[in-house]
Amino acid sequence: MEPIQWLCEQHPFLMYQCFSIPFAFLFYVLAKQGCLSLTYRYLFLASGGCILAVVTMGVYSLLLLVSTVIFVLLVCSLSPERVHPWVFGLQMGWQTFWHLLIQYREYYLKEPTDSRLLLSVSSLMLLTQRVTSVSMDLQDGGRVTLMTQCRVFLPLISYALNFTALLGGPLSSFDQFVYFVEQITISPPPQPLSVISYKGFQVLSLEWARNYLTRLLRDNASSLSVSNNVLTDVLWIWGLAVVLRIRYYSHWKISECLNNAAGLGFRGMVKEDSPNWSGLSDGDLWTTEMSCQVSEFARRWNGTTATWLRRLVFQRCKTAPLVMTFGFSIWWHGIHLGQFVGFLVWAAAVRADYQIHKYLKPKLTSTRRRLVRTCLCWLNTQMVMACVVIAIELRSTSSLRILGLTYTAVFPLLNVLCIFIV
């Protein structure tokens, strides 16, 4: 019982995702054997999402159900070109209301926020991705004929409330989802037990590393305020940021695992006996952490969300698309002070990154110079992202104070200065 107790107390999200994996695999087995008709496949995924929402969020599951009902009514009642503005406006307004309510309780009333409410708002943010993805498909002309007929009523509900993506993503398009549900009986992906085991082991390894680093940081936290060693303080801040990022990698990996258990994410065979299950992924620790540019890190971090933001904001804004994209990220995440500072610093660092590499590239003619540049750029990326992640995750002024006291804020400030110098 100790592992289960640890999951319940320390990592409820991980627990919910782990307990959902057997039901996802059950869906895969029943669908592959032809025991579920197309209608029942959609019902299985949608009802699983409803049950998961009620069990994990209680009464706050209504946040998702209300959004889904409004979304389906809008799609079935409006012309395709008018759906996106209405879906985007109402969904973001609904989400913002709950974000502001949480802030009112935390900062004005000084009340602890119910963990079920936090989980429901987190799921609401993911639902925003899915419903706006559909509305953009409609606006861009995707599946217009099918959509204007209300024969997609059940697929839309299933896509919005699908239990494999309800709590943790990653984002897949409506077309991909429908194709998967329709084809799983006709051409099912290979059995996913091996990839589930492999990714499950990765999650355990990440959680072990996170807990070990957390204990190490806790043991050395007392010396942070009295230490005169700037390097020690900077390393402590970097370690804290690594711990926070590992938690995300763990979340994404268990979410991949859940989707793979249902058969989602299969991209074909690399070799005759080597299936590729990387079709749905929000990021890989090694690939992301080895990024030598802040802009490269931004593209790889939370990959499906980055793609969604690029499509929703960056490609549609003619004026200052970079600033508008990161500005919308502040709104989508909840408009906390730390998030405001963190995302603006990130945007400035990305802008500086483009200018610095454009300036340095013609001057780096030798292999030695390029190697030195790569190492220094990796170090800069790590420290800038450490400041960004801590500011966004801790959200309050305390995070900004910690960064200032340890001189870690010097790294993003230098990047900002480069915008005006280079």
Side-chain angles (χ1 to χ4, degrees):
M1 293 297 291
E2 288 185 4
I4 296 178
Q5 185 178 1
W6 174 82
L7 276 174
C8 294
E9 294 177 354
Q10 301 295 328
H11 219 326
F13 170 86
L14 203 63
M15 177 191 69
Y16 300 143
Q17 296 290 73
C18 286
F19 287 171
S20 300
I21 289 175
F23 297 99
F25 187 66
L26 177 63
F27 169 81
Y28 168 82
V29 172
L30 293 176
K32 181 179 180 180
Q33 294 180 352
C35 300
L36 298 174
S37 66
L38 181 60
T39 299
Y40 282 116
R41 293 198 289 276
Y42 282 123
L43 284 173
F44 190 109
L45 295 170
S47 59
C50 292
I51 294 169
L52 182 62
V54 171
V55 169
T56 58
M57 306 168 201
V59 67
Y60 295 114
S61 59
L62 288 173
L63 275 65
L64 304 180
L65 299 179
V66 168
S67 283
T68 300
V69 170
I70 293 174
F71 162 64
V72 173
L73 290 176
L74 288 173
V75 169
C76 291
S77 60
L78 297 176
S79 59
E81 63 274 7
R82 295 178 58 198
V83 169
H84 180 63
W86 278 95
V87 168
F88 176 81
L90 290 175
Q91 182 67 21
M92 284 304 300
W94 180 243
Q95 179 181 305
T96 303
F97 168 78
W98 289 100
H99 271 140
L100 293 178
L101 180 62
I102 289 173
Q103 291 197 43
Y104 173 73
R105 288 182 175 181
E106 287 182 353
Y107 302 130
Y108 185 76
L109 298 180
K110 305 296 182 182
E111 294 177 355
T113 305
D114 191 332
S115 60
R116 294 176 300 174
L117 174 58
L118 293 175
L119 185 62
S120 65
V121 172
S122 175
S123 296
L124 190 64
M125 292 168 64
L126 296 174
L127 181 60
T128 298
Q129 291 186 349
R130 293 193 291 276
V131 299
T132 53
S133 177
V134 173
S135 64
M136 285 188 289
D137 285 343
L138 280 171
Q139 194 175 56
D140 296 340
R143 301 183 71 89
V144 172
T145 304
L146 188 60
M147 285 289 194
T148 50
Q149 307 165 4
C150 288
R151 292 181 295 170
V152 289
F153 184 81
L154 183 56
L156 280 174
I157 294 177
S158 184
Y159 176 69
L161 296 176
N162 170 26
F163 75 94
T164 64
L166 188 75
L167 300 182
L171 176 66
S172 64
S173 70
F174 179 71
D175 283 359
Q176 289 175 321
F177 176 77
V178 170
Y179 179 82
F180 161 74
V181 177
E182 290 177 350
Q183 296 296 316
I184 188 171
T185 300
I186 302 170
S187 56
Q191 191 182 80
L193 285 178
S194 58
V195 73
I196 294 172
S197 303
Y198 174 66
K199 291 183 178 180
F201 175 76
Q202 288 182 309
V203 172
L204 290 175
S205 301
L206 287 169
E207 284 303 302
W208 178 85
R210 188 174 73 89
N211 286 327
Y212 177 79
L213 286 173
T214 301
R215 288 195 299 270
L216 194 63
L217 291 171
R218 190 184 295 118
D219 293 340
N220 293 275
S222 58
S223 62
L224 187 65
S225 57
V226 297
S227 173
N228 293 319
N229 191 328
V230 175
L231 179 60
T232 301
D233 293 347
V234 169
L235 286 175
W236 193 93
I237 291 294
W238 176 76
L240 175 60
V242 169
V243 167
L244 294 173
R245 293 204 296 270
I246 286 177
R247 187 174 185 182
Y248 276 95
Y249 292 124
S250 179
H251 282 198
W252 297 335
K253 195 59 66 176
I254 194 65
S255 297
E256 283 181 45
C257 205
L258 176 58
N259 280 275
N260 293 162
L264 279 159
F266 177 65
R267 295 185 64 181
M269 304 295 289
V270 179
K271 298 178 181 177
E272 186 176 344
D273 58 345
S274 180
N276 182 352
W277 285 96
S278 61
L280 281 178
S281 176
D282 269 322
D284 173 72
L285 184 148
W286 180 258
T287 304
T288 306
E289 294 299 325
M290 288 297 105
S291 300
C292 295
Q293 297 178 226
V294 178
S295 56
E296 191 177 57
F297 193 103
R299 287 191 296 270
R300 291 173 174 175
W301 176 262
N302 203 353
T304 59
T305 296
T307 302
W308 171 71
L309 287 170
R310 192 178 302 117
R311 184 187 180 197
L312 180 69
V313 185
F314 189 84
Q315 295 175 352
R316 293 167 179 258
C317 287
K318 297 180 179 179
T319 305
L322 182 66
V323 176
M324 295 298 291
T325 302
F326 281 94
F328 176 77
S329 295
I330 299 170
W331 182 18
W332 183 66
H333 279 87
I335 333 177
H336 290 268
L337 176 61
Q339 294 169 341
F340 186 84
V341 174
F343 279 111
L344 288 185
V345 167
W346 198 352
V350 170
R351 177 61 182 167
D353 181 73
Y354 289 139
Q355 294 185 202
I356 291 169
H357 284 84
K358 185 178 180 180
Y359 174 77
L360 290 178
K361 191 173 182 180
K363 303 178 183 300
L364 301 173
T365 54
S366 68
T367 304
R368 181 182 297 177
R369 287 183 178 182
R370 286 195 293 268
L371 180 61
V372 171
R373 184 212 65 165
T374 299
C375 294
L376 291 177
C377 288
W378 178 83
L379 179 63
N380 174 69
T381 300
Q382 285 290 307
M383 296 314 303
V384 168
M385 292 313 305
C387 294
V388 168
V389 168
I390 289 174
I392 292 172
E393 283 300 297
L394 302 186
R395 302 186 304 182
S396 63
T397 54
S398 61
S399 62
L400 306 179
R401 193 179 302 113
I402 291 173
L403 295 175
L405 291 174
T406 57
Y407 299 101
T408 315
V410 169
F411 289 93
L413 287 176
L414 288 174
N415 279 259
V416 173
L417 287 176
C418 287
I419 297 177
F420 306 99
I421 296 173
V422 178

